[in-house]
Amino acid sequence: MWGETQAVILEDAAVQPVDDARVTQAPSGPQSLAEVDDHDSMTIRSLDDFPSASNPLPGGQPEAQEKTVVAVCCPMSHTNPTHRKNCRVCGAPLLGEPQRIPRPSLGWVRTPSGERLELVTPLVIGRNPRAERIQGIELPRLVAVPNGHVSSNHLEIRVEGWSVLAVDLHSRNGTYLRRPGQPPVRLPDQPTVIVSGDVLDLGHGVQFCFEELP
């Protein structure tokens, strides 16, 4: 269903809704991903819609707007979210005016094989991941995990604005968020905010570790 994308953030090892000001909005529009046919019945839900931008850049397409963020730059031209007072890279005070720029990398995720994937596009993770592109919607990168415990389409990683979000795609065995200093929490059926140091555990040693997020 199109409408508001609800994001949750973990605090004190509990899943709680994010304040309205921190919830990413997803505008109305056509379904962005076709349903995924999973004949082994391990995945019982199709991929969630990838949100499209409601206000495309002048003369541009909605996809172009999706790939931009509002940022503040430090004197060294490092880009930062507008809520920060000091640069996330060099620590310098942020005194410039906000401006819309191409979305920078939002960090890295380390796969079970040790490969590091840059978080610049959405990811769909699973034993045999599939997705279909609809015009104007960002195509996700497919990450295959050859493990029978993992569902065909198991997990989606979104990059929205300055946020990295994780959504379990109603996988058979679930996905657990392991955050340092907190007990594991099973991902709910709505986007959950991911921060540096988080580990998403798909079970049987299949883990994805997030590094250098804003």
Side-chain angles (χ1 to χ4, degrees):
M1 297 291 296
W2 283 83
E4 184 177 278
T5 297
Q6 297 290 335
V8 297
I9 186 168
L10 296 183
E11 296 179 357
D12 300 327
V15 177
Q16 301 178 357
V18 174
D19 292 340
D20 291 343
R22 300 175 65 184
V23 174
T24 303
Q25 299 291 329
S28 299
Q31 185 175 1
S32 59
L33 286 176
E35 290 189 355
V36 177
D37 185 14
D38 188 3
H39 295 290
D40 62 6
S41 299
M42 293 186 70
T43 301
I44 59 175
R45 193 184 87 179
S46 62
L47 293 178
D48 281 352
D49 297 336
F50 286 126
S52 60
S54 58
N55 298 307
L57 293 174
Q61 298 297 322
E63 183 176 9
Q65 181 81 1
E66 286 182 357
K67 295 182 179 181
T68 66
V69 293
V70 177
V72 178
C73 295
C74 75
M76 298 297 293
S77 298
H78 300 138
T79 56
N80 294 269
T82 56
H83 69 269
R84 294 190 65 95
K85 297 183 182 298
N86 294 87
C87 178
R88 62 193 176 101
V89 178
C90 66
L94 298 175
L95 304 176
E97 292 295 323
Q99 56 185 308
R100 184 168 291 280
I101 63 170
R103 185 178 63 211
S105 168
L106 297 186
W108 301 82
V109 58
R110 189 179 298 276
T111 71
S113 67
E115 181 183 5
R116 294 180 83 214
L117 304 179
E118 194 169 14
L119 294 170
V120 293
T121 61
L123 306 176
V124 175
I125 299 168
R127 190 180 68 259
N128 184 28
R130 296 170 57 193
E132 295 183 9
R133 180 186 176 90
I134 302 298
Q135 185 176 4
I137 303 301
E138 194 170 359
L139 180 67
R141 178 173 181 174
L142 304 181
V143 181
V145 179
N147 186 304
H149 180 82
V150 175
S151 295
S152 292
N153 281 309
H154 194 113
L155 177 68
E156 176 189 349
I157 306 299
R158 298 179 180 177
V159 285
E160 297 185 7
W162 284 98
S163 298
V164 176
L165 307 173
V167 185
D168 183 89
L169 299 175
H170 281 196
S171 62
R172 180 177 181 180
N173 295 303
T175 302
Y176 288 83
L177 173 58
R178 300 183 181 276
R179 182 166 292 173
Q182 299 183 10
V185 176
R186 184 164 182 161
L187 285 185
D189 59 353
Q190 55 184 315
T192 299
V193 176
I194 301 299
V195 300
S196 279
D198 282 353
V199 175
L200 292 179
D201 189 346
L202 281 60
H204 289 235
V206 179
Q207 296 185 338
F208 289 80
C209 307
F210 292 81
E211 305 169 350
E212 301 177 29
L213 275 62

